[in-house]
Amino acid sequence: MRDLSDNRCFRVKFPTVAKLNEYAMQDNTNGSVIVISSHVMRGSVGNRAVVFALETLGFPVWAVPTIVMPWHPGHGPSTRLRFDNGEFEKAMQDLAGCKWAGEVRAVLTGYFGSADQVRSAATLIRSLKARHADLIYVCDPVMGDNGGLYVPVETAQAIRDELIPLATVATPNRYELGWMSGAELETNNEIMDAALALGPAKMLVTSAVPMMAGGIGNLFLSGRHALLAEHRSIENVPNGLGDLFAALFLARLLQGLDDEKALQLATASVFEVLARTMKRGVNELTLETDASSLSTPMAMVQMRHLLHPSRSKRT
């Protein structure tokens, strides 16, 4: 991977709050966002994080829970409230055919409780895309991490086969991309190759290979061009960072920002919320306290423009 950056760190520069609110008001006249993911009673993961982020940045949300839990499974066993697959499918049909369907400008999906839910969501997305050719669909394929898959194989396969091809942008972590592509991803070149082979046209891979010591990277891929956003790595972090990141990146796209600015701001917001949460010593993201970090982040982010070697040989 060829590094085209100037290797500088810089603070995020952002419009005034008044200008941001103006953007949000303009965008809200254009539509709402459907978010489909898990719901917890305590904590800031799944739809709890996604809905908060989108609404904080001014976007109306239609929230669809795929499963309801008292807390994230990482905190220990708890009761799981599940939905009948047939009833879930009927709810998706209701959304597709309702009189307000024309309001929907974007869809974001995350954790699914079954493969049948995935297929029902795919039918909804195809229906909305047929109605709105410019619909933005962000697929966050929540299926696993370095510890392996934490959804059934058939659910992961359904996400890969049914939802990834529909996505405007996919936001897998490195493990999820590796599982879907069947490849070991040890370098950013390998991440790019896997993304190019799997599609869609744009992919944002979290936990990419950092280029700065002690860092962690988010790698955005569009064709053979790549943007790497890096910040300092923090150990033993709370859950929900991927959910929050996908929501913030979508919100910035909806505000009309270009890919680079959207990546920069989303990365800065997540890192700032994380750093503040860790300073408080709590085990859940403190979104309710750190809403300003979502709208006007000040965290340091290093941005690099990268080029795939096979591309650079032709230029």
Side-chain angles (χ1 to χ4, degrees):
M1 182 82 70
R2 181 182 168 199
D3 182 0
L4 303 181
S5 73
D6 57 8
N7 294 320
R8 291 183 298 173
C9 287
F10 51 88
R11 288 190 180 276
V12 172
K13 295 182 180 180
F14 197 71
T16 64
V17 173
K19 180 59 71 174
L20 174 63
N21 291 337
E22 178 184 334
Y23 292 155
M25 289 177 65
Q26 291 172 352
D27 287 329
N28 284 351
T29 64
N30 295 327
S32 302
V33 182
I34 295 178
V35 296
I36 306 173
S37 193
S38 59
H39 176 85
V40 292
M41 302 172 193
R42 174 194 182 273
S44 299
V45 301
N47 268 5
R48 287 289 300 273
V50 173
V51 173
F52 186 91
L54 287 167
E55 291 185 342
T56 296
L57 293 180
F59 295 95
V61 176
W62 302 8
V64 180
T66 54
I67 188 172
V68 178
M69 299 171 286
W71 48 74
H72 187 279
H75 294 316
S78 64
T79 301
R80 296 189 175 205
L81 305 180
R82 300 181 183 275
F83 296 96
D84 176 81
N85 287 327
E87 294 300 310
F88 187 88
E89 181 177 5
K90 290 179 182 178
M92 297 300 97
Q93 292 171 354
D94 289 345
L95 292 181
C98 75
K99 62 183 179 181
W100 306 285
E103 298 174 2
V104 179
R105 186 178 173 193
V107 178
L108 188 155
T109 62
Y111 182 91
F112 285 94
S114 70
D116 284 339
Q117 286 186 347
V118 173
R119 287 186 280 270
S120 296
T123 299
L124 169 64
I125 294 164
R126 282 192 290 266
S127 175
L128 294 171
K129 279 179 168 284
R131 189 167 184 167
H132 307 286
D134 59 347
L135 181 90
I136 297 176
Y137 168 44
V138 174
C139 177
D140 184 14
V142 180
M143 61 177 68
D145 54 29
N146 289 331
L149 287 179
Y150 45 66
V151 300
V153 171
E154 56 267 26
T155 301
Q157 290 172 336
I159 292 172
R160 179 194 63 197
D161 299 339
E162 298 284 343
L163 294 180
I164 290 293
L166 296 174
T168 310
V169 182
T171 62
N173 60 37
R174 196 196 324 178
Y175 170 83
E176 290 162 342
L177 176 59
W179 186 90
M180 290 189 291
S181 63
E184 294 290 332
L185 307 180
E186 300 297 331
T187 67
N188 284 333
N189 281 349
E190 291 170 345
I191 290 174
M192 180 174 282
D193 287 338
L196 289 170
L198 184 68
K202 295 184 177 181
M203 188 172 290
L204 179 47
V205 183
T206 59
S207 302
V209 181
M211 298 183 71
M212 66 183 231
I216 190 168
N218 296 319
L219 183 61
F220 177 80
L221 306 160
S222 179
R224 294 187 180 275
H225 292 278
L227 295 166
L228 182 65
E230 297 177 282
H231 58 73
R232 178 172 55 87
S233 179
I234 298 177
E235 298 297 324
N236 301 316
V237 300
N239 297 298
L241 296 173
D243 305 311
L244 180 62
F245 184 64
L248 291 170
F249 186 74
L250 171 59
R252 297 311 186 184
L253 294 181
L254 290 172
Q255 288 177 339
L257 302 184
D258 61 33
D259 295 334
E260 181 170 359
K261 192 65 174 178
L263 173 62
Q264 178 187 341
L265 287 171
T267 302
S269 287
V270 171
F271 178 54
E272 191 167 307
V273 168
L274 173 59
R276 290 182 172 183
T277 296
M278 298 301 287
K279 186 175 182 179
R280 295 185 182 104
V282 295
N283 63 3
E284 293 285 352
L285 297 176
T286 50
L287 300 182
E288 70 287 345
T289 307
D290 299 321
S292 63
S293 296
L294 305 183
S295 58
T296 54
M298 299 298 293
M300 299 283 286
V301 176
Q302 178 161 298
M303 301 291 293
R304 300 175 189 266
H305 288 257
L306 306 178
L307 194 62
H308 192 276
S310 65
R311 176 81 176 184
S312 63
K313 290 177 182 178
R314 297 197 300 268
T315 59

